[in-house]
Amino acid sequence: QAHLVESGGGLVQAGGSLRLSCAASGRTFSDYVLGWFRHPPGKEREFVTAISWDGSSTTYADSVKGRFTISRDNAKNALYLQMNSLKPEDTAVYYCAAGRIYYSIKLRQQHEYDYWGQGTQVTVSS
């Protein structure tokens, strides 16, 4: 049984930084696209960023571009999200996800991802 487990969430002041981690177990995800999504309070879950299987290509939502950086370590079966210059509107539950996605146009589509973590809360105070 494959599992994804997020960690690193917490409470931070606006302008601060957090680094989220996602540990995978039960199978290797080295041939999967990995992504981060978030679910802000009172809103729908939304795409944040995704990274190709070899880390050579990344895609970001406009709202986080230039502030967030996604990376992966296939040797450790791990995914990371470095979040800088955090804003109160970044407050959300953050989820990592994995999917066998072959077309970039589908990277932002939640139903393309087969595996999901349980989420980690990020709260940014003003």
Side-chain angles (χ1 to χ4, degrees), residues 37 73 99 101 125-126:
F37 290 78
D73 186 337
I101 304 171
S125 63
S126 56

Side-chain angles (χ1 to χ4, degrees), residues 52-118:
S52 60
W53 68 273
D54 61 351
S56 64
S57 178
T58 57
T59 302
Y60 294 92
D62 289 344
S63 59
V64 306
K65 202 172 293 183
R67 300 187 297 121
F68 289 13
T69 303
I70 188 172
S71 61
R72 65 189 294 167
D73 186 337
N74 285 342
K76 296 182 178 179
N77 223 16
L79 174 70
Y80 307 100
L81 182 63
Q82 179 66 43
M83 305 186 294
N84 298 329
S85 302
L86 283 161
K87 304 175 181 180
E89 51 263 44
D90 294 318
T91 294
V93 178
Y94 283 72
Y95 299 88
C96 63
R100 279 208 169 113
I101 304 171
Y102 301 104
Y103 301 100
S104 59
I105 194 172
K106 296 185 176 182
L107 290 175
R108 300 169 187 256
Q109 299 174 10
Q110 299 182 42
H111 65 267
E112 294 291 336
Y113 292 81
D114 304 308
Y115 299 95
W116 291 82
Q118 84 292 345

Side-chain angles (χ1 to χ4, degrees), residues 3-51:
H3 291 284
L4 298 174
V5 179
E6 303 93 340
S7 61
L11 174 65
V12 63
Q13 287 189 330
S17 298
L18 279 176
R19 187 186 192 223
L20 304 184
S21 298
C22 175
S25 62
R27 64 154 296 135
T28 178
F29 287 97
S30 59
D31 56 343
Y32 278 64
V33 165
L34 299 179
W36 289 98
F37 290 78
R38 66 186 182 185
H39 193 174
K43 298 182 179 179
E44 299 292 318
R45 188 163 62 181
E46 62 186 22
F47 171 80
V48 177
T49 179
I51 188 168

